[in-house]
Amino acid sequence: MTVQHEAHTGGAGEGGELLEVWIDQDLCTGDGICVQYAPEVFELDIDGLAYVKGGDDELLQSAGATTPVPLPLLLDVVDSAKECPGDCIHVRRVSDRVEVYGPDAE
């Protein structure tokens, strides 16, 4: 129930599209810039790598795990993706999984 609710209350990008974010831990440098920008969305684990957090504040550690981008934090999440030295933060539309911010965005 919570996950379904989160999907409907996730962030919206331009045009009102729901967005989600994920981190490629293979490229993460552990600088923690993302945590500085959006600690509600990102957290460093004891392995020194950043992960996204679920609505219950739990780290989502499975490869490719995504979390909705809360609308009030959209700019912080986008800045995290832009400033990340590892180019490992990916923000994509939920509807078609097209990356809109991050290293694979057009």
Side-chain angles (χ1 to χ4, degrees), residues 10 12-13 16 18-20 24 27 35 37 48-49 53 58 65 67 77 79 85 90 92 96 99-102:
L18 293 178
L19 300 177
E20 62 188 4
D24 182 346
L27 300 176
V35 177
Y37 276 107
L49 302 178
K53 298 195 294 188
E58 287 291 315
T67 197
V77 171
D79 286 343
H90 304 266
R92 64 186 178 200
D96 58 8
E99 188 160 320
V100 291
Y101 302 104

Side-chain angles (χ1 to χ4, degrees), residues 1-11 18 55 66 68 94:
M1 182 80 168
T2 302
V3 173
Q4 188 175 22
H5 178 70
E6 287 172 12
H8 294 294
T9 59
L18 293 178
T66 65
V94 172

Side-chain angles (χ1 to χ4, degrees), residues 3 10 14 17 25-26 28 41 44 60 64 66 80 87 90 95:
V3 173
E14 292 179 26
E17 298 256 16
Q25 278 78 30
D26 289 338
C28 180
V41 177
L44 291 175
L60 304 178
T66 65
S80 297
D87 284 330
H90 304 266
S95 61

Side-chain angles (χ1 to χ4, degrees), residues 59-83:
L59 291 185
L60 304 178
Q61 295 177 303
S62 58
T66 65
T67 197
V69 177
L71 184 56
L73 299 175
L74 177 60
L75 292 178
D76 294 332
V77 171
V78 169
D79 286 343
S80 297
K82 290 178 179 178
E83 299 297 325

